[in-house]
Amino acid sequence: DIQMTQSPSSMSVSLGDRVTITCRASQDIGNYLSWYQQKPEKSPKLMIYGATNLEDGVPSRFSGSRSGSDYSLTINSLESEDTGIYFCLQHKQYPYTFGAGTKLELK
Amino acid sequence: QVQLKETGPGLVQPTQTLSITCTVSGFSLTSYYMQWVRQTPGKGLEWMGFIRSGGSTEYNSEFKSRLSISRDTSKNQVFLKMNSLKTEDTGVYYCARAVGRGGFAYWGQGTLVTVSS
């Protein structure tokens, strides 16, 4: 199975901060990588697909990038509504696998 | 608009079988793959499997021996059945719809399943 190693597991951040979350894939997944935001008691929400593409309706302060087997989600100028848990998902190979999640909290 | 809603039993006894229904609207099951994902305290988010638009299935080998996914297109419903439940299967079970551009764009609200005697 492809392992998605996500870091950090949690971050305490301030409004206006630039935040970067990373997932490292244990095998080649190309750009079959998506990012999700989950609020408490809610379903995950697709934020980024194809590693770098912003889902419709997602604020432009969110972006995705790739460097080799490292995939990053960046939030420029964090807003209070951006708190929650972020997950990556690889859907290149069965079984699809998620990262363990990054919990984003305000200081 | 696209909607998905899971309905499940809430509480299931260990060794018993779990049955969850995902009822969809706003699209046809014959046009999209439907996924099942669960979220447990022990393992976080886990992809369980899917049923293709044509009706064939793919399962995570982690569950393959005890998991079954099926559908009734006339009722716009997708079904998950998993037997031999253990306490570690306690969690929230989601159905989700993939999109051609990649990723799971639509999710149900999830149904909490507690495995306990």
Side-chain angles (χ1 to χ4, degrees), chain B:
Chain B
Q1 76 272 27
V2 173
Q3 292 186 317
L4 298 78
K5 184 177 182 180
E6 307 89 346
T7 51
L11 179 65
V12 181
Q13 293 196 336
T15 75
Q16 296 302 301
T17 297
L18 171 66
S19 295
I20 302 174
T21 298
C22 173
T23 303
V24 308
S25 60
F27 66 98
S28 171
L29 293 176
T30 60
S31 297
Y32 293 93
Y33 289 24
M34 289 299 298
Q35 316 279 339
W36 286 97
V37 174
R38 76 175 188 178
Q39 189 166 29
T40 64
K43 291 194 173 183
L45 286 165
E46 291 180 283
W47 173 77
M48 301 182 73
F50 63 64
I51 184 164
R52 293 181 175 89
S53 51
S56 61
T57 53
E58 193 74 40
Y59 299 115
N60 186 334
S61 57
E62 175 84 10
F63 308 103
K64 190 168 187 175
S65 62
R66 58 191 187 112
L67 176 64
S68 173
I69 298 173
S70 59
R71 68 182 186 182
D72 183 333
T73 57
S74 68
K75 294 183 178 179
N76 295 318
Q77 292 179 326
V78 183
F79 310 107
L80 176 146
K81 288 190 191 308
M82 190 163 71
N83 58 35
S84 305
L85 284 195
K86 307 165 233 182
T87 55
E88 307 91 89
D89 294 316
T90 293
V92 179
Y93 288 72
Y94 297 99
C95 58
R97 200 196 89 178
V99 289
R101 58 189 178 275
F104 301 171
Y106 302 99
W107 295 69
Q109 86 277 14
T111 185
L112 175 63
V113 173
T114 302
V115 182
S116 174
S117 54

Side-chain angles (χ1 to χ4, degrees), chain A:
Chain A
D1 297 1
I2 295 176
Q3 308 303 315
M4 300 301 298
T5 303
Q6 187 169 346
S7 61
S9 57
S10 64
M11 294 182 77
S12 186
V13 296
S14 300
L15 297 178
D17 279 355
R18 185 171 189 263
V19 172
T20 298
I21 299 165
T22 299
C23 276
R24 174 168 291 174
S26 63
Q27 300 176 39
D28 175 50
I29 61 169
N31 285 338
Y32 291 87
L33 187 285
S34 46
W35 288 97
Y36 301 82
Q37 176 196 66
Q38 188 175 31
K39 298 281 191 177
E41 310 304 318
K42 296 293 187 182
S43 309
K45 174 187 176 184
L46 177 64
M47 306 298 279
I48 299 286
Y49 64 91
T52 62
N53 301 289
L54 196 66
E55 175 68 356
D56 287 347
V58 174
S60 59
R61 62 182 178 273
F62 288 87
S63 63
S65 62
R66 174 189 175 188
S67 176
S69 60
D70 289 341
Y71 298 81
S72 296
L73 172 72
T74 297
I75 309 172
N76 282 306
S77 193
L78 186 97
E79 298 191 9
S80 57
E81 66 187 39
D82 300 335
T83 57
I85 303 177
Y86 290 82
F87 299 93
C88 62
L89 165 67
Q90 71 80 17
H91 47 96
K92 168 70 173 177
Q93 184 183 109
Y94 309 137
Y96 299 161
T97 44
F98 289 87
T102 296
K103 187 173 186 178
L104 220 50
E105 297 176 307
L106 288 177
K107 284 180 182 172

